Amino acid sequence: MNQSPTKKPWGGRFTEPTNSLVEAFTESISFDSRLYKQDIQGSIAHAKMLAKINVISHEEASKIEAGLLEIRAQIDDGNFHWSTQLEDIHMNIEARLTDAIGEAGKKLHTGRSRNDQVATDVRLYIREAVDDIIVLLNQLQANLLDLASNEVDTIMPGFTHLQVAQPISLAHHLLAWNEMLERDGERLRDARKRINVMPLGSAALAGTSFPLDREMTCELLDFDRPSRNSLDAVSDRDFLIEVASACSLIMMHLSRMCEEIILWASESYKFILIGDAFCTGSSIMPQKKNPDIAEIVRGKSARVIGNLQALLILMKSQPLAYNRDNQEDKEPIFDTIDTVTTSLQVFAAMIPSINFQRENMYKAALEGYATATDLAEYLVRLNVPFRDAHEIVGGTVHYAIENNKPLSDLSLDELQAFGPMIQDDVYAVLSLEGSIQARAHFGGTAPARVREALQEAYARIEN
Ligand code: ARG
């Protein structure tokens, strides 16, 4: 048997039944059933509007609404049989509605096509998903700020090229993570403006001959405005690409943070201990405690970034207006939302379990001549041109390495051999504390500044 027994809602002009391979290949119900709430929400609004413009009666609209709400309850309870032969979410629900309420069900699709219907469903879905991700981002930011509050005076080495560069406040480092997440939230809020446009009324591509009240549908569905061009509205998926892009950036940021967490948890750094509840062990090496959460989040960034590529490539050769290619937008975007959601949840939960090994961080900052720049800037304040100061300190560091001493252990005589103008007030700038306190401008790592930055960051997430 390679022919479908079910008569299609679009089957009027066909004389042969659909080949079953085609049926299996073209169905989307196996993944777009996830859109049932949005599909029903859109249909109820459409029916109410059809009644308002007298295309159907108010009684029919009420029947449609009650029927759809009943179907929604059945799906909620897992009592709905999805039919592959009915292809997609739209036809599954419409067929069931007509079974349940008769004639009125057959009128629902007046002035509408699955093309504007699916575009509307996806916009409703992604709008909610974006709002949920913004909440998760905020939660993660709150956890990070709480963690940072205890670490303003904790000194760690800041790195460039993964080499010890200059001492910084640990809270300053954590606030850098927070900046990344804050931009991520802004991007989603911005994308939401372009998501929140309503395609209904565009029908298949050219609009409809019924005098639809699009403003009314818009209001019922909480969209900002109806789409301006019917061709564009049924074919546009930019809004999904924007979300996939913002989500890729979120995952790229999480992945960078995870990379640092993995390094910091290693035996070579010993900067942090991650709570047992957020680590796993090895089946062979009994001593192991691995930062798998961070590794999996880092790994999952790959699929989200891959999904962005998939969506871009999906769209790039499509002529106007709707093409069935667009059905391929669902799985990548659903996977993106699921992956970002779980990654943010587990990453945010892990953050409070991190325990900083402050002494090890301090020790690491002492190694690596992290205050060499402070010495150069000290010389500049004594009127030595910066390039000359750089040269003098380079020689001093070379001498200190040869003698296996930190800069602050060099005697005044030793220092003066390189820079005769150096006085004993130099030791204040050679200390880690002196170094971070000196960076007291806006955006710098001085603890007083970091404390302010932290308060401002808290105030921003509360808004
Ligand atoms: N399942 C389709 C999609 O995801 C719905 C629209 C189908 N429209 C059509 N004319 N075949 O895009």
Side-chain angles (χ1 to χ4, degrees):
M1 178 66 183
N2 65 352
Q3 293 179 339
S4 169
T6 303
K7 175 122 181 64
K8 308 293 182 196
W10 40 253
R13 60 103 70 216
F14 289 76
T15 51
E16 289 175 26
T18 311
N19 182 292
S20 56
L21 281 175
V22 171
E23 204 158 71
F25 190 66
T26 55
E27 68 85 21
S28 55
I29 192 62
S30 55
F31 49 87
D32 69 12
S33 60
R34 170 183 312 216
L35 296 172
Y36 75 94
K37 283 195 179 125
Q38 292 79 11
D39 197 72
I40 287 172
Q41 189 188 358
S43 289
I44 291 175
H46 182 66
K48 284 184 172 161
M49 183 276 295
L50 289 179
K52 155 106 188 298
I53 60 168
N54 295 319
V55 169
I56 64 174
S57 70
H58 285 282
E59 197 199 332
E60 285 167 330
S62 303
K63 270 190 168 173
I64 289 173
E65 181 173 9
L68 287 172
L69 291 177
E70 172 59 26
I71 289 172
R72 192 172 73 186
Q74 288 167 2
I75 301 173
D76 282 341
D77 296 344
N79 293 329
F80 192 94
H81 170 72
W82 301 112
S83 158
T84 312
Q85 284 150 13
L86 287 168
E87 219 175 286
D88 59 23
I89 183 65
H90 323 296
M91 298 205 301
N92 266 267
I93 290 180
E94 193 189 312
R96 172 64 73 92
L97 179 70
T98 301
D99 281 351
I101 68 166
E103 282 301 287
K106 294 195 205 163
K107 296 189 177 180
L108 170 61
H109 212 51
T110 313
R112 186 176 76 170
S113 150
R114 280 185 292 158
N115 298 352
D116 59 345
Q117 187 178 1
V118 71
T120 304
D121 290 3
V122 174
R123 283 176 185 268
L124 289 170
Y125 163 81
I126 203 71
R127 182 176 76 186
E128 195 179 322
V130 160
D131 289 344
D132 291 346
I133 291 175
I134 289 172
V135 170
L136 292 176
L137 274 173
N138 265 314
Q139 184 56 56
L140 169 54
Q141 286 181 257
N143 290 1
L144 269 181
L145 297 182
D146 289 348
L147 193 70
S149 314
N150 296 320
E151 311 297 343
V152 174
D153 297 301
T154 306
I155 295 179
M156 69 177 290
F159 298 89
T160 59
H161 315 270
L162 205 55
Q163 309 286 322
V164 171
Q166 293 181 335
I168 54 171
S169 150
L170 169 55
H172 194 54
H173 193 112
L174 298 173
L175 282 168
W177 290 2
N178 182 62
E179 290 289 329
M180 300 178 194
L181 298 169
E182 216 168 299
R183 288 195 293 276
D184 290 334
E186 277 172 33
R187 264 185 285 273
L188 288 174
R189 279 188 284 273
D190 189 60
R192 200 186 188 289
K193 295 181 213 153
R194 286 173 296 281
I195 292 170
N196 212 23
V197 174
M198 189 196 69
L200 277 180
S202 307
L205 77 161
T208 167
S209 60
F210 296 99
L212 305 187
D213 183 345
R214 300 187 71 208
E215 289 295 342
M216 174 181 173
T217 325
C218 224
E219 218 173 284
L220 289 173
L221 295 173
D222 222 4
F223 281 112
D224 294 333
R225 62 175 176 88
S227 55
R228 286 188 289 256
N229 181 294
S230 61
L231 291 176
D232 179 54
V234 291
S235 66
D236 169 37
R237 295 294 182 273
D238 294 2
F239 60 99
L240 293 182
I241 296 175
E242 286 192 52
V243 173
S245 167
C247 286
S248 294
L249 283 160
I250 292 174
M251 292 305 293
M252 180 272 279
H253 288 149
L254 292 185
S255 182
R256 292 183 67 186
M257 296 171 207
C258 286
E259 173 74 8
E260 292 189 326
I261 286 171
I262 292 161
L263 288 172
W264 291 356
S266 72
E267 281 304 315
S268 323
Y269 280 73
K270 288 199 177 80
F271 281 7
I272 58 172
L273 295 173
I274 305 172
D276 279 2
F278 292 93
C279 290
T280 61
S282 157
S283 58
I284 174 169
M285 297 169 283
Q287 85 284 8
K288 293 279 278 189
K289 182 175 148 182
N290 296 326
D292 295 41
I293 297 305
E295 291 170 63
I296 295 175
V297 170
R298 187 177 60 183
K300 282 193 185 288
S301 65
R303 58 199 289 160
V304 173
I305 295 166
N307 289 338
L308 169 63
Q309 308 314 311
L311 289 171
L312 282 165
I313 298 164
L314 173 67
M315 296 309 298
K316 82 167 188 61
S317 299
Q318 287 196 46
L320 286 170
Y322 176 86
N323 301 279
R324 191 68 177 270
D325 312 41
N326 277 0
Q327 182 164 299
E328 289 290 308
D329 63 354
K330 314 274 173 323
E331 287 164 293
I333 201 69
F334 292 158
D335 183 63
T336 295
I337 297 301
D338 291 346
T339 307
V340 171
T341 299
T342 50
S343 298
L344 281 170
Q345 283 168 337
V346 71
F347 188 84
M350 176 179 67
I351 289 297
S353 89
I354 292 178
N355 211 310
F356 291 105
Q357 306 301 97
R358 296 178 183 137
E359 274 176 32
N360 294 343
M361 292 184 134
Y362 192 86
K363 254 190 272 163
L366 281 176
E367 288 158 14
Y369 303 93
T371 58
T373 310
D374 296 87
L375 179 55
E377 288 174 4
Y378 169 87
L379 294 171
V380 168
R381 283 192 290 275
L382 296 178
N383 239 348
V384 180
F386 181 76
R387 273 295 147 234
D388 295 341
H390 192 286
E391 181 76 18
I392 291 170
V393 178
T396 316
V397 168
H398 181 75
Y399 172 86
I401 292 170
E402 298 269 279
N403 290 278
N404 199 22
K405 287 182 185 175
L407 285 178
S408 54
D409 280 7
L410 297 180
S411 70
L412 192 55
D413 281 348
E414 284 173 306
L415 289 167
Q416 284 175 339
F418 294 93
M421 65 296 282
I422 296 175
Q423 301 302 315
D424 66 0
D425 58 354
V426 73
Y427 293 102
V429 310
L430 292 182
S431 75
L432 300 181
E433 290 77 6
S435 171
I436 67 168
Q437 262 153 30
R439 284 156 176 76
H441 54 79
F442 181 75
T445 193
R449 278 301 191 178
V450 173
R451 230 167 247 117
E452 278 169 23
L454 194 54
Q455 288 324 310
E456 286 161 16
Y458 268 119
R460 285 194 303 273
I461 57 168
E462 274 150 25
N463 284 324

